Amino acid sequence: MEPNVLSFLERPAKGVALVVDDTKINRTLLCRVLVQMGYDVLEAENGLVAVEMFAAQTVDIVFMDVMMPELDGFAATRQIKTLAGERFVPVLFVTSLNEVEALVSCIACGGDDILFKPVNQSVLKAKALGFERTRRLHNELAELHKQMQQDERMAQRVFSGMIASSPHALADINFSIKSAAIFSGDVVFTEYSPNGDQHILLGDFTGHGLQAAIASTPVAELFHGLTRRGFSAKQIIRRINKRLHQVLPIHMFMACTMVVISRNTNMLRVFNAGMPDAWLFENGQVSQRFAAESIALGISREINIEFSQVSVNKLQHLLLFSDGVVEAVNEREHAFGEERLLACLHGGEDLSNLIPAIEQSLAQFCEDVPQADDQSLVHVPITLSNDSPPPKHSEPEVFDLDDWQWQMTLQGRSLAKASPVSLMMPVLEELGIGETNSGLLAAVVSDLFSNALEHGLLELDSSVKQDELGFAHYYQLREQALNELTKAKIHIKLEFTKLPEPGFSVELSHNGKGFEPESLDEPGSGDLSGRGIQLVQALCSSVEYFDEGKRVVAQFRLDDHG
């Protein structure tokens, strides 16, 4: 033999070998060779004893006879491989059989190789040492895989913390994400804007896994940060799209549905970019579908962003879902489909368990078939009242500030593009005004600004908003009038005073025709107008109009909302 072959065969073996044979002499001869090689050896006279010994002790390699009483080698090997689990334990059949069917059966039951009697010692050593090398590599790979799984779970927890929504916003919706991998390509975000509107976003990235999770991070930062600062939903979508277009590779994008629920007007606004229809339903019947009207985000730098809007009531519910739900398949490759999803809406008046009911229906349909896509569900009960302020949350407020002022003027086309709330919120954050008071104050500024713009400058009539169609017509008139603004101007002044009580004076003035403030005090029967001024009056200690509605001063006290 060549020197390298001899050195290989002379290497000492390591571990525990189990020899299984019903003939004593066969066991003795084989054990003697294995001991010389360096193995610790166990003996079993049949397959049943072999399985018991394997379950009780750590075994590294098995030499298995075929024909034995109690339990033959085929059955014993199947049980041993099951007991081994993910640990690689080679089983070598030692047999005098040479029929093709018998040899195939040795491999089919889980055997890894075959030695023919009488056993050649050099072949036995070579195969044993070869499998020892394979076992070592397999164990190293298993350890690396285990470490990778631990790293992925840690990263998943970190990413979940980074992109989490505010707890109070999550409490108002029900949602579920069933991931096809450790990392999900689907995301659900929800947050309250300063004026009390609730923003909800369901996103579905191409693919899943770590790259989808990484891509969700900038979306979370923009969604939460811009919502809290008072940016409009359209501005948020535009910013997210541009960021994704910058950072995503060309093959990746994010389909999404964004929802805005207005606390002041009971209006629902929905933007669908490449997702399945969003369903608005009541009493088990879908009353409206919000279909995709835009391409997914990140594909093009500029996209058309148009929100569909409808009025809603407390009996209605909204259901959002990713395509992984309706496209889930069973073993016959039949899709779950919309009909089965619709059937889940008829589960009775109590819809608190709607998502678990859908998940149960999916599980029964798919059984144990692995799915290729993530499955996400968002159920939004429409429970927000018309005139309640945004949710309050206890937090420390900073009352030791000196008096200060902040003011700005918007004019011309800037009135259509700029949001005074989004410009004001960073100032409040920098000065340490907490989330509760800054949010309520932003709601006051937002509504006073809307009244000054729509009624003082654009001279729109709120009585148009009698119903859903009237509301849509009102905003069509608003958009047309905004495009014609040239010399219009609104001045905003925010003044903090420490004494006698810490609070803000909010003053807005405009150069328009003005309006009758009394016309905004009470909403008409059944219409959607007048609710903004009611909210302002509820939040402020006083609201006074001057110069025929051209100037308004509202007093907002921190002590009233601490």
Side-chain angles (χ1 to χ4, degrees):
M1 292 186 182
E2 296 182 6
N4 61 336
V5 174
L6 288 172
S7 63
F8 173 74
L9 292 177
E10 290 173 356
R11 286 174 50 194
K14 298 178 181 178
V16 177
L18 173 61
V19 176
V20 188
D21 199 308
D22 61 333
T23 303
K24 175 66 175 178
I25 187 62
N26 291 341
R27 295 199 307 273
T28 301
L29 292 174
L30 189 55
C31 288
R32 184 178 301 167
V33 174
L34 294 173
V35 169
Q36 291 174 352
M37 291 176 60
Y39 280 110
D40 295 326
V41 182
L42 303 173
E43 297 182 44
E45 63 269 24
N46 59 54
L48 187 61
V49 174
V51 171
E52 293 174 350
M53 295 181 70
F54 188 90
Q57 302 181 59
T58 299
V59 174
D60 299 299
I61 189 168
V62 179
F63 296 88
M64 182 74 70
D65 188 20
V66 176
M67 306 303 294
M68 293 181 293
E70 302 292 339
L71 193 67
D72 64 29
F74 300 140
T77 298
R78 281 191 289 268
Q79 293 187 35
I80 284 173
K81 286 292 185 177
T82 299
L83 290 171
E86 295 183 358
R87 197 167 70 91
F88 177 64
V89 180
V91 175
L92 283 75
F93 278 96
V94 184
T95 178
S96 57
L97 299 175
N98 57 12
E99 296 90 348
V100 172
E101 184 176 347
L103 298 179
V104 172
S105 297
C106 289
I107 304 301
C109 70
D112 298 284
D113 207 339
I114 299 173
L115 289 167
F116 294 102
K117 298 177 180 178
V119 176
N120 182 289
Q121 291 192 15
S122 295
V123 174
L124 169 62
K125 288 182 178 181
K127 290 193 175 186
L129 290 170
F131 274 115
E132 184 176 298
R133 181 172 56 195
T134 301
R135 177 169 56 84
R136 185 174 63 251
L137 291 172
H138 182 278
N139 292 339
E140 289 176 359
L141 287 174
E143 284 299 316
L144 289 172
H145 181 66
K146 181 180 179 180
Q147 182 62 46
M148 182 186 70
Q149 289 181 317
Q150 292 175 346
D151 292 344
E152 286 181 338
R153 283 192 289 269
M154 174 62 72
Q156 195 273 338
R157 287 195 293 271
V158 171
F159 277 114
S160 297
M162 290 171 61
I163 66 178
S165 298
S166 296
H168 59 275
L170 285 173
D172 289 333
I173 69 171
N174 305 308
F175 74 97
S176 168
I177 298 178
K178 184 177 182 182
S179 176
I182 291 180
F183 292 96
S184 173
D186 291 358
V187 292
V188 175
F189 305 130
T190 178
E191 194 63 75
Y192 280 106
S193 69
N195 70 351
D197 289 352
Q198 185 175 15
H199 290 183
I200 303 165
L201 185 143
L202 171 61
D204 182 359
F205 283 91
T206 47
H208 49 265
L210 183 58
Q211 63 176 353
I214 293 174
S216 68
T217 305
V219 176
E221 292 175 350
L222 287 171
F223 177 86
H224 293 303
L226 297 180
T227 299
R228 290 167 182 163
R229 291 172 59 187
F231 280 73
S232 70
K234 185 176 289 189
Q235 290 172 320
I236 294 170
I237 290 292
R238 185 174 291 112
R239 293 280 191 94
I240 290 175
N241 178 67
K242 288 184 177 180
R243 179 70 65 84
L244 292 180
H245 186 259
Q246 291 171 349
V247 302
L248 291 184
I250 193 168
H251 67 280
M252 281 193 71
F253 51 83
M254 183 187 78
C256 74
T257 301
M258 183 161 182
V259 175
V260 180
I261 301 177
S262 174
R263 301 176 63 87
N264 302 335
T265 61
N266 271 21
M267 293 301 297
L268 172 70
R269 302 172 61 216
V270 180
F271 171 73
N272 189 332
M275 291 287 283
D277 294 357
W279 295 352
L280 182 66
F281 66 96
E282 182 178 351
N283 297 325
Q285 300 295 324
V286 176
S287 59
Q288 182 144 355
R289 292 171 177 255
F290 299 92
E293 296 183 355
S294 169
I295 59 174
L297 306 190
I299 297 175
S300 174
R301 180 174 175 81
E302 299 293 338
I303 60 171
N304 182 43
I305 304 172
E306 294 295 335
F307 278 77
S308 302
Q309 56 187 12
V310 295
S311 61
V312 289
N313 61 65
K314 297 180 182 181
L315 299 178
Q316 293 176 308
H317 298 254
L318 184 69
L319 182 66
L320 314 177
F321 52 91
S322 63
D323 54 12
V325 173
V326 292
E327 294 176 4
V329 296
N330 58 17
E331 60 182 6
R332 294 176 296 281
E333 297 188 356
H334 295 162
F336 184 71
E338 282 195 2
E339 288 188 9
R340 292 182 179 87
L341 185 58
L342 281 168
C344 296
L345 304 185
H346 301 283
E349 296 181 1
D350 181 14
L351 293 174
S352 60
N353 293 317
L354 175 60
I355 287 183
I358 296 174
E359 290 178 323
Q360 182 180 2
S361 181
L362 273 166
Q364 291 175 347
F365 176 80
C366 299
E367 296 179 335
D368 295 325
V369 176
Q371 299 301 310
D373 200 1
D374 306 316
Q375 300 171 358
S376 296
L377 296 156
V378 181
H379 170 217
V380 187
I382 308 298
T383 57
L384 304 181
S385 62
N386 295 343
D387 54 0
S388 61
K392 297 168 61 175
H393 310 283
S394 59
E395 58 189 22
E397 297 286 6
V398 177
F399 296 113
D400 58 351
L401 298 173
D402 292 327
D403 294 357
W404 56 268
Q405 286 186 358
W406 174 85
Q407 51 188 325
M408 66 174 298
T409 301
L410 294 173
Q411 56 187 5
R413 295 188 181 275
S414 297
L415 290 165
K417 296 183 176 295
S419 165
V421 171
S422 63
L423 298 171
M424 181 185 74
M425 289 299 287
V427 178
L428 300 179
E429 292 174 6
E430 188 70 22
L431 290 168
I433 305 301
E435 183 180 342
T436 297
N437 276 315
S438 62
L440 299 179
L441 182 60
V444 171
V445 173
S446 176
D447 284 320
L448 292 180
F449 178 80
S450 295
N451 287 336
L453 176 64
E454 297 172 9
H455 307 304
L457 295 177
L458 304 182
E459 301 180 32
L460 299 176
D461 183 1
S462 290
S463 63
V464 173
K465 296 185 285 187
Q466 294 290 329
D467 51 26
E468 179 183 319
L469 293 177
F471 197 97
H473 179 58
Y474 178 87
Y475 274 91
Q476 288 178 350
L477 295 174
R478 185 181 187 275
E479 291 295 321
Q480 293 172 1
L482 280 173
N483 292 329
E484 299 172 3
L485 284 179
T486 54
K487 298 181 180 180
K489 181 167 51 178
I490 295 180
H491 182 76
I492 305 170
K493 183 170 74 171
L494 190 65
E495 182 176 8
F496 175 81
T497 56
K498 185 175 182 179
L499 299 173
E501 297 174 329
F504 292 89
S505 173
V506 182
E507 180 176 341
L508 275 82
S509 59
H510 62 85
N511 64 348
K513 183 178 179 181
F515 57 90
E516 292 292 334
E518 293 79 8
S519 65
L520 302 180
D521 286 345
E522 296 295 337
S525 176
D527 67 25
L528 301 172
S529 64
R531 289 166 178 164
I533 192 62
Q534 284 187 319
L535 179 65
V536 172
Q537 290 171 339
L539 293 176
C540 295
S541 57
S542 68
V543 181
E544 296 182 274
Y545 282 89
F546 305 92
D547 303 330
E548 298 178 334
K550 294 181 182 180
R551 186 168 69 95
V552 60
V553 179
Q555 302 297 331
F556 180 92
R557 299 299 175 194
L558 293 180
D559 287 341
D560 295 338
H561 310 283

